[in-house]
Amino acid sequence: MTITMTVFLVYLALLAGLALWSRAESRTLHGYFIAGKKLPPWVVAFSTNATGESGWLLLGLTGMGYAVGAQAFWVVAGEVIGIGLAWLLLSRRLKRISDQHDSITVPDVLAARFGDSLHLLRGLSVLIILGMVGAYVAAQMVATGKAFAGFTPLDYAQGVLVGSAVIIAYTLVGGYKAVAWTDLIQGVLMLLGLLVLPAVAIHAAGGWGTVVATLGSADPGLLSPWGPEGKSTAALVGIVSFLAIGLPFMGVPQLMVRFMSARSEKSLVPAMTISVIVILLFDIGAVLTGMAGRALFPGLEDPESILPLLSTELLPPVLAGVMMVVVLAAIMSTVDSLLILASSAVVRDFLQRMRGSLRDDRQLATAGKWVTLLIGAIGIVFALQQSPLIFWFVLFAWSGLGAAFGPVLLCALWYPPTNRQGALAGMLGGFLTTMAWVIWFKPLTHDLLEIIPGFLVGLALTVGVSRITAERSD
């Protein structure tokens, strides 16, 4: 047995323990989907960050640091601003209104805020969530299979099955509580890895001065905030897009539920501090890892392979095994949260609220577990096929959810005149604009990130339609 597999089995035992510890909470609807709203600040903070970052942080942002150098620090700024604004503008007000109306999902909150007796907002929310989450889950399972194949003796199909089985099992048994506490452990591991690995890589390269000199001689653009392309329209669009990467933090339902699950509104204040500091350390560590990796191993065909390469080349076998498990765990932390999100949309929003199911609390929680299993099984089927279409959907799943829910939530919590018609227009307009931008317009605008037009259109429609319909009703 390899060291990596040994470390993974130890981690697996830890997950099993957390799932069993959380089992009692998962027997009720509130417990299974939102941990009874009892999570402490540090769990809420790390769960928010781990769910929002995950495998993209460890592979994507390190690869970006490798590819474009200092320009990737704009992503750091964008994410810190985005998560900071989410905590400042949304967390406490969202927690307050969710507690007032006993809401356990984001559609619950919107339905209560706008008196959605016809379930139009709730129905649209469910459709958007299931459409985006379904493709996202399948794609993350593809990534899980590839990670297992790259880091362990398992082949791709075995990796998909093993990784998916682990995720589905602890999510079924422990529900949202197990997911959140698992995110805490994953977040701590990610933080430690992104503190240790860049330090080791910079030392191996001869110190930060040597890294800077090496990158500068290879391409001065790697040290410029404009990036390797230099000052240009494309570089400016790239910077704006990097800054906008944090916008979806202010709306994606899988993160909003973290705010709602806190034990109290007051506990969100320390959680915010922890979250912002940790995400700053996350992102700086990832970019520095990529830059140091470029100095050590120039010419890689796949920049996103730099973290695994540095781990195996520079760290002792045990620590390298830990880093590989951190990558696997980070990918897995996205899937479990998405499974809970999709399951809650089906059971709470569709079955209980829209269809008026008369099942008791325990029966609905059990139904939630069956839905989790079903969605997970569908994701496995698509992952085993490795359909390229899945990855195409992932390009805008994050932005699509953010553009659909972000503007509406901001207006719902901060702009009292917002009404149901405006919320419907904003949600649908933001979502469709994001889709259209990726399909037709993105290549024509130097790849401007789709969340920018999607968020702006969603915000304009929410405010504009609310005002127009209010004037007509007067």
Side-chain angles (χ1 to χ4, degrees), residues 133-454:
V133 168
Y136 212 150
V137 166
Q140 290 298 318
M141 287 181 174
V142 170
T144 301
K146 290 185 175 181
F148 269 101
F151 303 146
T152 74
L154 300 177
D155 62 26
Y156 170 79
Q158 291 171 332
V160 169
L161 294 173
V162 170
S164 301
V166 170
I167 298 165
I168 294 170
Y170 74 72
T171 305
L172 281 177
V173 174
Y176 180 81
K177 183 176 181 179
V179 168
W181 281 89
T182 300
D183 286 345
L184 170 64
I185 294 171
Q186 291 164 342
V188 171
L189 289 173
M190 290 159 63
L191 178 60
L192 292 175
L194 290 172
L195 291 175
V196 171
L197 190 58
V200 171
I202 290 171
H203 176 75
W208 181 244
T210 303
V211 170
V212 170
T214 302
L215 295 179
S217 61
D219 183 350
L222 293 172
L223 303 177
S224 167
W226 289 94
E229 294 184 7
K231 293 183 179 181
S232 64
T233 301
L236 181 60
V237 171
I239 290 172
V240 173
S241 296
F242 285 169
L243 285 171
I245 283 177
L247 268 179
F249 279 111
M250 294 191 290
V252 288
Q254 63 267 35
L255 299 189
M256 298 300 101
V257 171
R258 266 68 190 162
F259 302 151
M260 295 161 60
S261 68
R263 63 168 53 146
S264 68
E265 185 180 333
K266 185 178 180 180
S267 71
L268 290 170
V269 177
M272 174 181 67
T273 303
I274 296 168
S275 175
V276 172
I277 292 173
V278 169
I279 206 167
L280 177 64
L281 295 175
F282 271 176
D283 287 2
I284 289 177
V287 174
L288 291 178
T289 298
M291 293 177 70
R294 178 74 175 257
L296 285 167
F297 301 103
L300 291 181
E301 290 186 10
D302 181 8
E304 292 187 358
S305 67
I306 188 59
L307 184 139
L309 179 62
L310 290 174
S311 300
T312 54
E313 292 293 328
L314 302 182
L315 297 178
V318 173
L319 291 182
V322 171
M323 283 302 301
M324 298 305 101
V325 169
V326 168
V327 173
L328 293 170
I331 295 169
M332 291 160 61
S333 72
T334 299
V335 181
D336 55 22
S337 299
L338 294 172
L339 287 175
I340 288 288
L341 174 64
S343 180
S344 67
V346 172
V347 174
R348 171 68 166 190
D349 297 307
F350 179 70
L351 288 180
Q352 188 181 44
R353 296 307 193 197
M354 295 178 66
R355 295 294 301 273
S357 174
L358 298 178
R359 298 176 186 177
D360 63 30
D361 205 48
R362 183 180 288 266
Q363 289 173 324
L364 285 170
T366 301
K369 295 179 181 182
W370 281 109
V371 173
T372 299
L373 182 61
L374 176 62
I375 294 171
I378 293 173
I380 291 172
V381 171
F382 279 98
L384 291 174
Q385 296 175 357
Q386 298 192 64
S387 170
L389 184 63
I390 294 172
F391 285 99
W392 185 70
F393 267 99
V394 170
L395 291 175
F396 54 77
W398 174 252
S399 292
L401 287 169
F405 290 97
V408 174
L409 281 170
L410 276 173
C411 291
L413 299 175
W414 285 95
Y415 185 61
T418 306
N419 57 25
R420 184 174 65 251
Q421 295 93 322
L424 279 167
M427 182 178 293
L428 187 60
F431 178 73
L432 292 179
T433 299
T434 302
M435 303 299 100
W437 196 265
V438 173
I439 297 170
W440 292 302
F441 302 113
K442 193 171 183 177
L444 306 175
T445 57
H446 298 288
D447 289 333
L448 181 71
L449 192 66
E450 53 272 13
I451 185 61
I452 298 174

Side-chain angles (χ1 to χ4, degrees), residues 39-166:
L39 295 181
W42 56 89
V43 176
V44 174
F46 272 95
S47 183
T48 301
N49 288 358
T51 300
E53 296 288 297
S54 298
W56 180 85
L57 170 74
L58 294 167
L59 300 178
L61 189 53
T62 55
M64 193 176 292
Y66 184 99
V68 303
Q71 189 186 26
F73 282 113
W74 291 110
V75 177
V76 180
E79 292 214 325
V80 171
I81 292 170
I83 195 69
L85 289 175
W87 284 102
L88 286 171
L89 299 179
L90 298 175
S91 63
R92 297 184 69 176
R93 293 191 176 211
L94 186 62
K95 171 65 176 172
R96 191 180 311 153
I97 193 172
S98 72
D99 286 352
Q100 289 171 352
H101 297 280
D102 196 29
S103 303
I104 63 176
T105 67
V106 171
D108 259 352
V109 171
L110 295 176
R113 166 66 174 82
F114 297 113
D116 186 31
S117 58
L118 297 178
H119 302 301
L120 298 177
L121 269 173
R122 198 185 290 272
L124 180 59
S125 298
V126 170
L127 288 175
I128 291 174
I129 288 171
L130 291 181
M132 293 293 93
V133 168
Y136 212 150
V137 166
Q140 290 298 318
M141 287 181 174
V142 170
T144 301
K146 290 185 175 181
F148 269 101
F151 303 146
T152 74
L154 300 177
D155 62 26
Y156 170 79
Q158 291 171 332
V160 169
L161 294 173
V162 170
S164 301
V166 170

Side-chain angles (χ1 to χ4, degrees), residues 453-472:
F455 204 94
L456 291 176
V457 168
L459 194 61
L461 284 174
T462 303
V463 174
V465 173
S466 293
R467 295 185 65 175
I468 292 170
T469 53
E471 290 172 359
R472 288 180 178 176

